Amino acid sequence: MKKSTFIISKMDCPSEEQMIRMKLETYTQVKYLDFDIPNRKLEVYHLEAIEEIRSSIAELKFNETLQGTEEAEPPVMEDQSKQKKILWWVLGINFGFFVIEMTTGWISSSMGLIADSLDMLADSIVYALSLFAVGGAIARKKKVAKFSGYFQMALATLGFMEVLRRFFTESETPLFQWMIIVSIFALLGNLISLWLINKAKSKEAHMQASAIFTSNDIIVNGGVILAGTLVYFLDSKWPDLVIGAIVFTFVMQGAIKILKLSK
């Protein structure tokens, strides 16, 4: 058994991890992939030569560098059932708040809540891909990624159009009470998700990546709460439109990354 270490500078979230996993899934000589997303590092445990594996990773254009290859034994696998149970809870929380924030966002005329709901949906898609698409189900994973990416991109585009419409026309000021209260509950949901992930004390990449994703969501929740507070004090729709546009940008970037999984 050999271990080849790569530094991949453009691998900074679960989407890139999934793309690499899908790229290498068909190689029988690859026995284990150990991702370290915060440090942009990937360790590939494999048989035979590394050239074919390296060429496949290079096709993704993530700016990879092979640090070296050495003899090694694969690490001991962690309890996958425990991890899956936690990811199911995190998926449920994210998708639940997608529905809640999307509904209350339209009722309260808040683009910030609607954008945050799509951010929750983006996380749900990544977690679902990790849970549902396993083993040799490459074709199924690509189909799910393609549909999810286009769906998310369409929603983000409609969101941008609605932000522009409200920017250039007279529109009602969003209900700041809904923005603040719902975002506080979403923040609590993400804090629970982060607690569950950290409780697992897992060193595996997809769990660490989930923690990073959830931490980013907490920042977004705080942004919507701040926007709601500014709407109250300024009696203006502008803070809501600004935070909505910013979050829609993140959602669009996530959709593009998910679409790359289907190629």
Side-chain angles (χ1 to χ4, degrees), residues 184-228:
I184 287 175
F185 279 109
L187 175 63
L188 291 174
N190 278 317
L191 287 172
I192 292 172
S193 297
L194 188 60
W195 175 75
L196 287 170
I197 293 168
N198 289 333
K199 185 181 178 182
K201 297 179 180 179
S202 173
K203 295 182 180 179
E204 290 199 26
H206 65 281
M207 297 298 286
Q208 294 179 0
S210 297
I212 294 171
F213 238 38
T214 305
S215 298
N216 292 338
D217 287 345
I218 290 172
I219 296 173
V220 172
N221 296 147
V224 179
I225 293 171
L226 175 61

Coordinates of all heavy atoms in Angstrom, one line a residue, residues 184-228:
I184 N -33.2 34.0 14.3 CA -32.7 33.6 15.6 C -32.9 32.1 15.8 O -32.1 31.3 16.2 CB -33.4 34.3 16.8 CG1 -32.8 35.8 16.8 CG2 -33.2 33.6 18.1 CD1 -33.6 36.7 17.8
F185 N -34.1 31.6 15.4 CA -34.4 30.2 15.4 C -33.5 29.4 14.5 O -33.0 28.3 14.8 CB -35.9 29.9 15.1 CG -36.8 30.1 16.2 CD1 -37.7 31.1 16.3 CD2 -36.8 29.2 17.3 CE1 -38.5 31.3 17.3 CE2 -37.6 29.4 18.4 CZ -38.5 30.5 18.4
A186 N -33.2 29.9 13.3 CA -32.3 29.3 12.3 C -30.9 29.3 12.9 O -30.2 28.3 12.8 CB -32.3 30.1 11.0
L187 N -30.5 30.3 13.6 CA -29.2 30.4 14.3 C -29.1 29.3 15.3 O -28.1 28.6 15.4 CB -29.0 31.8 14.9 CG -27.7 32.0 15.7 CD1 -26.5 31.8 14.9 CD2 -27.8 33.3 16.4
L188 N -30.2 29.1 16.1 CA -30.2 28.1 17.1 C -30.1 26.7 16.5 O -29.4 25.8 17.0 CB -31.5 28.2 18.0 CG -31.6 29.4 18.9 CD1 -32.9 29.4 19.6 CD2 -30.5 29.3 20.0
G189 N -30.8 26.5 15.3 CA -30.7 25.2 14.6 C -29.3 24.9 14.2 O -28.8 23.8 14.3
N190 N -28.6 25.9 13.6 CA -27.2 25.7 13.2 C -26.3 25.5 14.4 O -25.3 24.7 14.2 CB -26.8 26.9 12.4 CG -27.3 26.9 10.9 OD1 -27.2 25.8 10.3 ND2 -27.7 28.0 10.4
L191 N -26.5 26.2 15.5 CA -25.7 25.9 16.7 C -25.9 24.5 17.2 O -24.9 23.8 17.6 CB -26.1 26.9 17.8 CG -25.6 28.3 17.6 CD1 -26.2 29.3 18.7 CD2 -24.1 28.4 17.6
I192 N -27.1 24.0 17.1 CA -27.4 22.6 17.5 C -26.6 21.6 16.5 O -26.0 20.6 16.9 CB -28.9 22.3 17.5 CG1 -29.5 23.0 18.6 CG2 -29.1 20.7 17.6 CD1 -31.1 22.9 18.6
S193 N -26.7 22.0 15.2 CA -26.0 21.2 14.2 C -24.5 21.1 14.4 O -23.9 20.1 14.4 CB -26.3 21.7 12.8 OG -27.7 21.6 12.5
L194 N -23.9 22.3 14.7 CA -22.5 22.4 15.0 C -22.1 21.6 16.3 O -21.1 20.9 16.3 CB -22.1 23.8 15.2 CG -20.6 24.1 15.3 CD1 -19.9 23.6 14.0 CD2 -20.3 25.6 15.5
W195 N -23.0 21.6 17.3 CA -22.8 20.9 18.5 C -22.8 19.4 18.2 O -21.9 18.6 18.7 CB -23.8 21.2 19.5 CG -23.7 20.4 20.8 CD1 -22.8 20.5 21.8 CD2 -24.6 19.3 21.2 NE1 -23.0 19.6 22.8 CE2 -24.1 18.8 22.4 CE3 -25.7 18.7 20.6 CZ2 -24.7 17.8 23.1 CZ3 -26.3 17.6 21.2 CH2 -25.8 17.2 22.5
L196 N -23.7 18.9 17.4 CA -23.8 17.5 17.0 C -22.6 17.0 16.3 O -22.0 16.0 16.5 CB -25.1 17.2 16.2 CG -26.4 17.3 16.9 CD1 -27.6 17.2 15.9 CD2 -26.5 16.1 17.9
I197 N -22.1 17.9 15.3 CA -21.0 17.5 14.5 C -19.7 17.5 15.4 O -18.9 16.5 15.3 CB -20.8 18.5 13.4 CG1 -21.9 18.4 12.4 CG2 -19.4 18.3 12.7 CD1 -22.0 19.6 11.4
N198 N -19.5 18.5 16.3 CA -18.4 18.5 17.2 C -18.4 17.4 18.2 O -17.4 16.9 18.6 CB -18.3 19.8 17.9 CG -17.9 21.0 16.9 OD1 -17.2 20.7 15.9 ND2 -18.2 22.2 17.2
K199 N -19.7 17.0 18.6 CA -19.8 15.9 19.6 C -19.3 14.6 19.0 O -18.8 13.7 19.8 CB -21.3 15.7 19.9 CG -21.6 14.7 21.0 CD -23.1 14.6 21.2 CE -23.4 13.5 22.3 NZ -24.9 13.4 22.5
A200 N -19.3 14.4 17.7 CA -18.8 13.2 17.1 C -17.3 13.1 17.2 O -16.8 12.0 17.2 CB -19.2 13.1 15.6
K201 N -16.6 14.2 17.4 CA -15.2 14.2 17.5 C -14.5 13.5 16.4 O -13.5 12.7 16.6 CB -14.7 13.7 18.9 CG -15.3 14.4 20.1 CD -14.8 13.8 21.4 CE -15.3 14.7 22.6 NZ -14.9 14.1 23.9
S202 N -15.0 13.6 15.2 CA -14.5 12.9 14.0 C -13.4 13.8 13.4 O -13.5 15.0 13.3 CB -15.6 12.7 13.0 OG -15.1 12.1 11.8
K203 N -12.4 13.1 12.9 CA -11.3 13.7 12.2 C -11.4 13.5 10.7 O -10.6 14.0 9.9 CB -9.9 13.2 12.7 CG -9.6 13.5 14.1 CD -8.2 13.0 14.5 CE -7.9 13.3 16.0 NZ -6.6 12.8 16.4
E204 N -12.5 12.8 10.3 CA -12.7 12.6 8.9 C -13.1 13.9 8.2 O -13.8 14.7 8.7 CB -13.7 11.5 8.6 CG -13.2 10.1 9.0 CD -13.9 9.0 8.4 OE1 -14.6 9.2 7.3 OE2 -14.0 7.9 9.0
A205 N -12.8 14.0 6.9 CA -12.9 15.3 6.2 C -14.3 15.7 6.1 O -14.6 16.9 6.2 CB -12.3 15.2 4.8
H206 N -15.3 14.8 5.7 CA -16.6 15.3 5.4 C -17.3 15.8 6.7 O -18.1 16.7 6.7 CB -17.5 14.2 4.8 CG -17.7 13.0 5.7 ND1 -16.7 12.0 5.9 CD2 -18.7 12.6 6.5 CE1 -17.2 11.1 6.7 NE2 -18.4 11.4 7.1
M207 N -16.9 15.3 7.9 CA -17.4 15.8 9.1 C -16.8 17.2 9.5 O -17.5 18.1 9.9 CB -17.1 14.8 10.3 CG -17.8 13.5 10.1 SD -19.6 13.6 10.1 CE -20.0 13.9 11.8
Q208 N -15.5 17.3 9.2 CA -14.8 18.6 9.4 C -15.4 19.7 8.5 O -15.6 20.8 8.8 CB -13.3 18.5 9.2 CG -12.7 17.6 10.3 CD -11.2 17.5 10.1 OE1 -10.6 18.0 9.2 NE2 -10.5 16.7 11.0
A209 N -15.6 19.2 7.2 CA -16.2 20.1 6.2 C -17.6 20.6 6.6 O -18.0 21.7 6.4 CB -16.2 19.5 4.9
S210 N -18.4 19.6 7.2 CA -19.7 20.0 7.7 C -19.7 21.0 8.8 O -20.5 21.9 8.8 CB -20.4 18.7 8.2 OG -20.6 17.8 7.2
A211 N -18.7 20.9 9.6 CA -18.5 21.9 10.7 C -18.2 23.3 10.1 O -18.7 24.3 10.5 CB -17.4 21.5 11.6
I212 N -17.4 23.3 9.1 CA -17.0 24.6 8.4 C -18.3 25.2 7.7 O -18.6 26.4 7.9 CB -15.9 24.4 7.4 CG1 -14.6 24.0 8.1 CG2 -15.7 25.7 6.5 CD1 -13.5 23.5 7.1
F213 N -19.0 24.3 7.0 CA -20.3 24.8 6.4 C -21.2 25.4 7.4 O -21.8 26.4 7.1 CB -20.9 23.5 5.7 CG -21.0 23.7 4.2 CD1 -20.1 24.3 3.4 CD2 -22.2 23.2 3.6 CE1 -20.2 24.5 2.1 CE2 -22.3 23.3 2.2 CZ -21.4 24.0 1.4
T214 N -21.4 24.7 8.5 CA -22.4 25.1 9.5 C -21.9 26.4 10.1 O -22.8 27.3 10.4 CB -22.6 24.0 10.5 OG1 -23.0 22.8 9.9 CG2 -23.7 24.4 11.5
S215 N -20.6 26.6 10.4 CA -20.1 27.8 10.9 C -20.4 29.0 10.0 O -20.7 30.1 10.5 CB -18.6 27.7 11.2 OG -18.3 26.6 12.1
N216 N -20.2 28.8 8.7 CA -20.5 29.8 7.7 C -22.0 30.2 7.8 O -22.4 31.4 7.6 CB -20.2 29.4 6.3 CG -18.7 29.2 6.1 OD1 -17.9 29.9 6.9 ND2 -18.2 28.5 5.2
D217 N -22.9 29.2 8.0 CA -24.3 29.5 8.1 C -24.6 30.3 9.3 O -25.5 31.2 9.2 CB -25.1 28.1 8.2 CG -25.1 27.4 6.9 OD1 -24.8 28.0 5.9 OD2 -25.5 26.2 6.9
I218 N -23.9 30.1 10.4 CA -24.1 30.9 11.6 C -23.8 32.4 11.3 O -24.5 33.3 11.7 CB -23.3 30.4 12.7 CG1 -23.8 29.0 13.2 CG2 -23.3 31.4 13.9 CD1 -22.9 28.3 14.2
I219 N -22.8 32.7 10.5 CA -22.4 34.0 10.1 C -23.5 34.6 9.2 O -23.9 35.8 9.4 CB -21.1 34.0 9.3 CG1 -20.0 33.6 10.2 CG2 -20.8 35.4 8.8 CD1 -18.6 33.4 9.5
V220 N -24.1 33.8 8.3 CA -25.2 34.3 7.5 C -26.4 34.7 8.3 O -27.1 35.7 8.1 CB -25.5 33.3 6.4 CG1 -26.8 33.7 5.6 CG2 -24.4 33.1 5.4
N221 N -26.7 33.8 9.3 CA -27.9 34.0 10.2 C -27.7 35.4 10.9 O -28.6 36.2 11.0 CB -28.0 32.9 11.2 CG -28.4 31.6 10.6 OD1 -27.9 30.5 11.1 ND2 -29.1 31.6 9.5
G222 N -26.5 35.6 11.4 CA -26.2 36.9 12.1 C -26.4 38.0 11.1 O -26.8 39.1 11.6
G223 N -26.0 37.9 9.8 CA -26.2 38.9 8.9 C -27.6 39.3 8.7 O -28.0 40.5 8.6
V224 N -28.5 38.3 8.6 CA -29.9 38.6 8.5 C -30.5 39.2 9.7 O -31.4 40.1 9.6 CB -30.7 37.3 8.1 CG1 -32.2 37.5 8.0 CG2 -30.2 36.6 6.9
I225 N -30.1 38.8 10.9 CA -30.5 39.4 12.1 C -30.1 40.9 12.1 O -30.9 41.8 12.5 CB -29.9 38.7 13.4 CG1 -30.5 37.3 13.5 CG2 -30.2 39.5 14.6 CD1 -29.9 36.4 14.5
L226 N -28.9 41.2 11.7 CA -28.4 42.6 11.7 C -29.2 43.4 10.7 O -29.6 44.5 10.9 CB -26.9 42.6 11.3 CG -26.3 44.0 11.0 CD1 -26.3 44.8 12.3 CD2 -24.8 43.8 10.5
A227 N -29.5 42.8 9.5 CA -30.3 43.5 8.5 C -31.7 43.8 9.0 O -32.2 44.9 8.8 CB -30.4 42.6 7.2
G228 N -32.3 42.8 9.8 CA -33.6 43.1 10.4 C -33.6 44.2 11.4 O -34.5 45.0 11.4

